[in-house]
Amino acid sequence: MNRTIIVSNEVMGNGPEDLGKTIMGSFLRKLCLEENKPATIVFYTAGVKLLAEGSAVLDAIDALSKAGIDIIACGTCVNYYKLGDKIEPESIGDMPTIISILMKSDVVITV
């Protein structure tokens, strides 16, 4: 089954920001251990900040990538936050790419 996860924020949930960041980090790190991994993780809006140099979760992002998961950042969002020089270029996708990924997915999970 082709699964895609969408990450649209630096935090998970609506509680205190520090708690949300901790939970997001835990989610990404534990996802590395999951037997049924997603094929792709798409990051957009503030979620792209998680892929930028200096992010506290780059270890998890690297592990997910090494596990064969495609990591895609919305190019418009990367440009909006002026992160183009802080994110690996091969991770940046355009909207047609993101739409194609979503339309080919059997399951799309938004966190």
Side-chain angles (χ1 to χ4, degrees):
M1 184 173 290
N2 184 2
R3 294 178 184 88
T4 298
I5 294 179
I6 295 177
V7 177
S8 62
N9 206 332
E10 295 176 88
V11 300
M12 196 173 209
N14 296 315
E17 185 175 335
D18 59 336
L19 176 60
K21 285 184 177 185
T22 299
I23 293 170
M24 180 63 79
S26 178
F27 172 79
L28 293 170
R29 288 180 182 95
K30 300 299 181 195
L31 188 58
C32 295
L33 306 174
E34 179 61 33
E35 185 176 320
N36 297 314
K37 293 176 182 60
T40 308
I41 304 176
V42 175
F43 293 80
Y44 64 83
T45 58
V48 299
K49 294 178 181 180
L50 295 172
L51 302 175
E53 191 176 291
S55 166
V57 297
L58 284 181
D59 61 320
I61 301 298
D62 187 51
L64 291 163
S65 181
K66 286 180 179 172
I69 299 169
D70 290 329
I71 305 295
I72 305 293
C74 165
T76 301
C77 304
V78 169
N79 291 336
Y80 178 84
Y81 290 108
K82 297 177 176 50
L83 297 172
D85 61 339
K86 297 180 187 309
I87 292 178
E88 297 296 322
E90 62 271 10
S91 298
I92 299 174
D94 58 11
M95 193 54 68
T97 300
I98 293 170
I99 290 170
S100 177
I101 290 166
L102 295 176
M103 297 309 292
K104 292 176 184 173
S105 296
D106 297 312
V107 176
V108 176
I109 302 165
T110 302
V111 295

